[in-house]
Amino acid sequence: MKKKIVWIVLAGIFAALLIWNLLAPAQFHDQEFSFADSWRIRTLLMVKSTDFIEYGCGFSEDYAIQIGGLTYCLGQDDCGTVYIPELNFYYEMMGSREELHELLQKYN
């Protein structure tokens, strides 16, 4: 019975964190994106592929998007990769790198 309660509590915490992350506005240089732009950024930052190794791009938290409790550091070279330092996770993003940079220019 206690295990079942623990699993229910953990599932509830996970669901709350997921909802919080989905509803949290995206930020860039301490500026909040509009609701529509936040969702567009989430679409562009979706994972296309990863091979779980470090990529050769330069990453900096100075050029990063914050969503919820995660920081998405964008590749500063011509590659379309993202690094999430909180998870130590590198991946290639689904969306167009150029489209993402155009969107960021509105908030820079």
Side-chain angles (χ1 to χ4, degrees):
M1 181 69 170
K2 288 183 181 181
K3 281 187 175 182
K4 186 176 183 179
I5 292 172
V6 169
W7 282 111
I8 290 172
V9 169
L10 288 175
I13 291 170
F14 177 74
L17 288 173
L18 180 63
I19 290 170
W20 175 62
N21 198 33
L22 289 175
L23 297 177
Q27 294 182 347
F28 182 68
H29 292 232
D30 296 326
Q31 295 183 42
E32 283 191 9
F33 288 95
S34 68
F35 184 77
D37 286 344
S38 286
W39 280 101
R40 184 68 193 137
I41 286 172
R42 283 176 169 85
T43 303
L44 292 169
L45 289 176
M46 289 177 62
V47 177
K48 179 178 180 181
S49 66
T50 185
D51 53 10
F52 299 103
I53 62 170
E54 291 187 22
Y55 287 89
C57 295
F59 297 96
S60 169
E61 290 191 24
D62 293 334
Y63 194 63
I65 298 169
Q66 289 79 32
I67 303 174
L70 298 177
T71 305
Y72 296 82
C73 299
L74 306 173
Q76 295 180 351
D77 300 332
D78 288 338
C79 62
T81 57
V82 177
Y83 172 59
I84 303 174
E86 294 86 0
L87 304 174
N88 194 27
F89 182 66
Y90 296 84
Y91 69 92
E92 185 178 348
M93 67 181 184
M94 181 81 67
S96 161
R97 179 181 179 277
E98 291 78 23
E99 186 177 349
L100 179 62
H101 290 291
E102 284 179 24
L103 187 57
L104 294 179
Q105 290 302 320
K106 290 178 18 181
Y107 294 89
N108 202 0

